Amino acid sequence: MFNPKQIRDDFPIYYHNPHLIYLDSAATSLKPISVIDKLNEYYKKYSANIHRGIYKIAEKASEEYEESRKIVSLFINSKRSEEIIFTKGATESLNLIASSLGQALIKEGDEIVTTILEHHANFVPWQQLMAQTGAVLKVIDINDNHEWGVATYSKHGKVRIDISDVVTTKTKILAVNYVSNTLGTINPVKEIIQEAKKINPAIITVVDAAQAAPHIPIDVQSLGCDFLVFSGHKMLGPTGVGVLWGKYEHLQSMPPYQFGGDMIREVALEETTFNDVPHKFEAGTPPIAEIIALKEAIAYLKYFGFEAIQNHEKQLARYAIEKMQQEFGERITILGPREFERRSGVVSFVLNKIHPHDIAQILDEYDICVRAGHHCTMPLHHTLQYPATTRASFYLYNNEEDVDHLVKGLRKVVKTFQK
Ligand SMILES: Cc1ncc(COP(=O)(O)O)c(C=O)c1O
């Protein structure tokens, strides 16, 4: 049974900080005890390196590590576990794709398409690639409802995508986010991929699922994408571990991103041959404990199920938006789509022209943690003409009392600035 109050008992941080109102899960999530215990288990019981030693604890570490790969593979419905590459986060996954695909695929005059609402991690690597190769970066804008400008919805929520102005036969890569970390928009990724592939069947599609994987069931086969990335730490897992999923045939043909131990088959003075996928992309000693503990985060999410988690977050976001609007009326601007069903548990806002850093600082006096700033989406903030916003983001351990505290805290912020 989904009970956020009981769920908190699984998160030791609440025991150590009994007054904590944590509303910054889009930055990083809290960690349940099962994940922390698994990290400790590795260090206490079998902290050997993987894929090297032939003694028992090394074999145990390798088994646990490879089991995580299988569990992640099932988690996103990948066809084979070799399609899962462990990285240190979504950022590294995206850099790996841009760098490796860039070498293998991109030349002057080619086009790369992304959107204005990308996190810098899914924007800057493409921009850099463009500078290195002479490729052209095209950017999809947003509409008045803070959704992709190429998407229109019918009354019944059916989406139509028109990307004929942006995607052409010259477009080699389309890189888009699934859920916006700033606006909370759940984007119609499957539909845009379908439309892009109609225009150019050879297009490579990259999905940044950093804000989706913690909240939405991911099915890479149903999405029809070529690559998908996410970070462990935003989905209850440890920091320092990320996932890159790619279609096997792409991964096989791509050059390695880094060179060193474990990624080689044979090294001679003159030349080196590389290991098979996925090891070709996992050079050096990986974050073993973190990768092993990631499977506990997945087990925890699966125990409650995404339907319950999503319903809970949407309900909280709705409660927060309605309460803030009731309290502050015209003085507050809430970003993101008006329709609640197209939003995740992210609520960004601008209040009374008070600087978000001041808001966050005053809220911190009441142990309320929110994010203030540009949330690594400067091009989006520039388009919206706000240098900064305040963001509250909800997860399964939050409850309506957290929202009540937030609104009470914001009331105090407004009073402070009225003085
Ligand atoms: C949408 C999105 N993409 C990518 C990232 C980068 O994730 P990480 O910092 O874990 O590499 C983030 C982090 O906030 C994000 O929200």
Side-chain angles (χ1 to χ4, degrees):
M1 179 56 192
F2 191 86
N3 180 342
K5 283 217 167 118
Q6 262 172 16
I7 286 175
R8 278 194 196 207
D9 293 342
D10 296 335
F11 289 78
I13 200 164
Y14 284 114
Y15 173 78
H16 294 282
N17 303 270
H19 304 296
L20 181 70
I21 313 289
Y22 188 72
L23 302 177
D24 199 16
S25 294
T28 195
S29 68
L30 304 179
K31 320 299 173 202
I33 188 68
S34 55
V35 169
I36 299 167
D37 282 348
K38 195 73 185 175
L39 281 168
N40 280 331
E41 178 188 289
Y42 166 77
Y43 287 117
K44 283 182 183 164
K45 297 190 177 168
Y46 47 90
S47 63
N49 213 327
I50 53 154
H51 303 154
R52 290 159 172 83
I54 46 167
Y55 45 89
K56 284 194 270 314
I57 59 165
E59 280 169 1
K60 169 73 176 160
S62 301
E63 264 168 38
E64 288 275 350
Y65 182 94
E66 289 306 328
E67 196 192 346
S68 277
R69 201 188 303 279
K70 287 190 192 127
I71 287 171
V72 171
S73 173
L74 288 172
F75 179 64
I76 59 170
N77 194 29
S78 126
K79 270 191 187 155
R80 48 197 290 182
S81 60
E82 292 92 331
E83 292 180 332
I84 305 297
I85 315 287
F86 289 119
T87 62
K88 72 177 160 69
T91 303
E92 189 176 45
S93 301
L94 288 162
N95 275 278
L96 190 162
I97 300 169
S99 164
S100 182
L101 271 188
Q103 282 178 57
L105 190 73
I106 302 298
K107 53 182 186 344
E108 194 175 344
D110 287 343
E111 294 169 357
I112 298 168
V113 172
T114 187
T115 82
I116 195 76
L117 46 76
E118 299 309 315
H119 186 281
H120 296 161
N122 197 28
F123 191 83
V124 183
W126 305 117
Q127 195 186 47
Q128 295 305 303
L129 184 57
M130 177 191 73
Q132 287 155 13
T133 58
V136 178
L137 187 66
K138 289 174 151 182
V139 181
I140 294 172
D141 214 339
I142 44 168
N143 61 22
D144 292 343
N145 199 24
H146 294 174
E147 288 163 325
W148 289 343
V150 293
T152 42
Y153 288 85
S154 74
K155 257 195 214 150
H156 311 290
K158 209 167 162 11
V159 65
R160 204 177 69 82
I161 304 283
D162 183 359
I163 43 170
S164 50
D165 282 350
V166 217
V167 173
T168 72
T169 48
K170 282 204 229 158
T171 312
K172 291 280 173 74
I173 296 172
L174 170 74
V176 292
N177 71 90
Y178 201 156
V179 175
S180 159
N181 67 314
T182 299
L183 301 175
T185 324
I186 301 173
N187 293 304
V189 167
K190 182 174 174 166
E191 290 80 358
I192 200 171
I193 290 170
Q194 276 171 355
E195 284 305 304
K197 296 223 173 206
K198 271 187 211 160
I199 297 171
N200 179 6
I203 197 168
I204 301 283
T205 55
V206 179
V207 176
D208 174 1
Q211 297 291 344
H215 311 282
I216 294 178
I218 304 276
D219 182 334
V220 287
Q221 295 191 54
S222 157
L223 283 176
C225 52
D226 295 281
F227 293 93
L228 182 136
V229 308
F230 54 95
S231 292
H233 70 95
K234 293 187 197 285
M235 47 178 279
L236 310 181
T239 53
V241 45
V243 171
L244 185 175
W245 168 85
K247 279 189 178 157
Y248 192 71
E249 59 271 26
H250 295 323
L251 294 172
Q252 259 187 324
S253 64
M254 283 158 58
Y257 175 56
Q258 290 182 332
F259 304 93
D262 220 26
M263 57 75 66
I264 54 90
R265 176 167 301 135
E266 195 82 47
V267 180
L269 281 185
E270 304 75 24
E271 75 168 336
T272 294
T273 52
F274 303 126
N275 206 339
D276 294 331
V277 169
H279 309 294
K280 181 172 84 173
F281 293 105
E282 293 179 1
T285 301
I288 302 170
E290 288 77 1
I291 290 168
I292 288 175
L294 180 62
K295 58 175 167 285
E296 291 302 324
I298 293 178
Y300 194 88
L301 290 170
K302 279 191 155 174
Y303 174 76
F304 292 105
F306 278 116
E307 201 183 321
I309 294 171
Q310 248 189 310
N311 282 342
H312 174 68
E313 291 165 357
K314 275 182 193 283
Q315 215 173 302
L316 278 184
R318 183 183 194 128
Y319 180 69
I321 291 172
E322 288 177 350
K323 242 192 137 177
M324 287 198 280
Q325 278 171 336
Q326 256 170 31
E327 182 76 31
F328 304 108
E330 305 260 287
R331 292 176 295 171
I332 197 160
T333 306
I334 311 250
L335 307 185
R338 286 182 285 274
E339 297 76 5
F340 291 110
E341 67 276 13
R342 295 216 283 280
R343 301 185 65 109
S344 70
V346 168
V347 179
S348 294
F349 58 90
V350 180
L351 176 62
N352 244 11
K353 295 194 180 149
I354 303 171
H355 197 285
H357 285 161
D358 293 327
I359 296 179
Q361 210 166 350
I362 295 173
L363 289 179
D364 180 48
E365 287 170 22
Y366 304 97
D367 292 318
I368 303 167
C369 311
V370 293
R371 173 91 186 262
H374 53 65
H375 322 309
C376 299
T377 54
M378 281 176 112
L380 174 66
H381 274 77
H382 188 76
T383 298
L384 296 171
Q385 296 184 333
Y386 296 121
T389 54
T390 307
R391 180 183 73 186
S393 50
F394 304 107
Y395 210 1
L396 72 173
Y397 35 70
N398 292 117
N399 57 37
E400 289 191 354
E401 276 173 39
D402 291 337
V403 175
D404 295 341
H405 280 292
L406 171 67
V407 174
K408 216 162 129 191
L410 290 175
R411 218 180 279 148
K412 287 181 176 140
V413 171
V414 170
K415 262 204 187 128
T416 307
F417 279 85
Q418 269 168 353
K419 275 183 201 161

